[in-house]
Amino acid sequence: MRLFEYRRDNALYKNKSTKAAYQLWILRLLERACSSWRPDVVLVIKGGPITPNFIRRVKARANTLFVNFFPDNPLWMIPFGCIEAYDVFFTKERYAMRSLQQVGLGNLHYLPMYCVPAQHHPVVLSPEETRRFSTPLSFVGSRYDYRERFVRELADAPLRLWGAGWGRTPDPVVRGLVAGGPVFGHDKLCVYSGSTISLNHHHPMNDIVGVNTRTFELAASGACQVVDAKDELSPLFKPGDELLVYRDLGELRRLLDHFLARPEEARAIGENARRRAVAEHTLSHRVDEMLA
């Protein structure tokens, strides 16, 4: 197996003025790599730069199978023609899968997201990390208008926020909850391990009935998460035993009141989630499911 990394920590990819040129350059490099390596399978994780023409050119020169494991809602986050170009397209969204199958696409398959235990695991915080990251209730994720409205409803809770955009909110109440900007790697694990409860609020457009990646990351990190209900959630984790599920703000507040006052119960739920995630929901498990 060979890896071709194209976007992680890459300023050219993340800069709107240079992204298109960078993607074109990346496609050329990847096409050369495919010509040299002649892979049997190209597994793409999301794959924004990958175009249908690129796939056709590579397949014309080699009998290569193109597979996409898409982490977002494909009805919203990828052009339709790109979906159809793949031999196999895995999605966490059964709603999207059914919608695309209804217009004739036959390459869609359901596959939930995953954790990577080497990257997602509990950590022991140092005194300085405890000062920076420990909190009864945390949320890690970017600010959107709907999320800010959600957070405002919880302003009386002991909540701290990490993520892009929160520091720019004009609302002084929400701004007072901001603990920092985006966190990655060990710092993110410190937030998860330093929280009694971790909020997991799905994106209303990106996660229709499917479960986001954060669910699996929090679980593998041993965090007790409280998450909004999704159709695909209960087959993956047991509500009440491996995570806490709410359907409205009233239920969310009741869960927070109960478990913030009982941190030992919250820790037990987080540990149950960690065991389930490591036993059933790693990237290795998903690759095995792809090959089955």
Side-chain angles (χ1 to χ4, degrees):
M1 182 178 70
R2 300 191 185 189
L3 298 178
F4 189 92
E5 192 170 292
Y6 71 92
R7 61 178 288 185
R8 186 179 181 185
D9 298 328
N10 191 301
L12 293 175
Y13 182 84
K14 296 179 180 180
N15 188 314
K16 291 182 179 179
S17 65
T18 58
K19 184 174 181 177
Y22 174 73
Q23 287 183 316
L24 182 60
W25 177 67
I26 280 292
L27 273 186
R28 290 172 180 164
L29 290 181
L30 181 56
E31 190 165 353
R32 289 178 201 159
C34 288
S35 297
S36 173
W37 300 345
R38 300 186 68 82
D40 295 321
V41 178
V42 173
L43 173 60
V44 178
I45 307 297
K46 193 167 183 176
I50 309 299
T51 65
N53 284 337
F54 166 82
I55 293 175
R56 284 191 284 269
R57 288 196 304 270
V58 173
K59 290 176 73 68
R61 291 193 293 267
N63 189 27
T64 299
L65 187 76
F66 273 80
V67 179
N68 193 311
F69 188 9
F70 199 73
D72 296 317
N73 180 358
L75 295 176
W76 188 46
M77 296 292 289
I78 185 173
F80 180 84
C82 291
I83 301 172
E84 192 169 16
Y86 285 91
D87 297 288
V88 182
F89 193 98
F90 291 103
T91 174
K92 66 181 175 62
E93 280 293 335
R94 288 191 198 268
Y95 169 83
M97 181 181 71
R98 289 191 294 266
S99 297
L100 292 165
Q101 287 172 339
Q102 286 171 357
V103 298
L105 268 68
N107 61 341
L108 275 292
H109 300 271
Y110 169 73
L111 193 65
M113 299 311 295
Y114 56 87
C115 64
V116 180
Q119 299 175 12
H120 311 128
H121 53 81
V123 296
V124 177
L125 278 65
S126 69
E128 173 60 18
E129 289 167 341
T130 299
R131 184 190 67 79
R132 292 176 58 200
F133 299 116
S134 184
T135 180
L137 179 63
S138 66
F139 177 75
V140 177
S142 298
R143 179 209 166 271
Y144 302 110
D145 288 344
Y146 80 96
R147 274 187 182 158
E148 180 169 329
R149 186 65 182 81
F150 169 70
V151 163
R152 200 177 303 139
E153 290 292 324
L154 301 176
D156 57 343
L159 172 62
R160 298 178 76 195
L161 305 170
W162 283 266
W166 291 107
R168 296 191 298 272
T169 175
D171 188 325
V173 174
V174 175
R175 199 162 56 243
L177 304 175
V178 178
V183 285
F184 305 98
H186 182 76
D187 285 355
K188 183 188 284 190
L189 296 179
C190 284
V191 176
Y192 292 166
S193 291
S195 303
T196 304
I197 296 177
S198 296
L199 281 176
N200 182 7
H201 189 64
H202 283 87
H203 193 291
M205 294 290 289
N206 206 19
D207 311 298
I208 307 300
V209 299
V211 177
N212 61 13
T213 304
R214 187 186 296 111
T215 302
F216 300 93
E217 293 182 358
L218 285 167
S221 301
C224 176
Q225 63 180 296
V226 57
V227 55
D228 50 321
K230 291 293 174 182
D231 293 353
E232 301 295 343
L233 191 57
S234 58
L236 300 168
F237 294 98
K238 184 177 179 181
D241 186 53
E242 296 168 338
L243 40 67
L244 306 173
V245 179
Y246 68 92
R247 291 161 186 80
D248 54 49
L249 284 169
E251 188 172 18
L252 171 58
R253 291 192 181 99
R254 289 191 293 273
L255 288 170
L256 293 179
D257 288 344
H258 179 92
F259 286 96
L260 287 175
R262 297 166 178 83
E264 68 287 347
E265 293 182 20
R267 282 193 293 271
I269 288 173
E271 177 56 23
N272 291 342
R274 188 195 65 79
R275 286 196 293 264
R276 179 77 177 271
V278 172
E280 298 182 18
H281 299 312
T282 68
L283 179 56
S284 294
H285 290 107
R286 298 298 181 254
V287 171
D288 288 342
E289 292 174 62
M290 289 181 192
L291 298 175

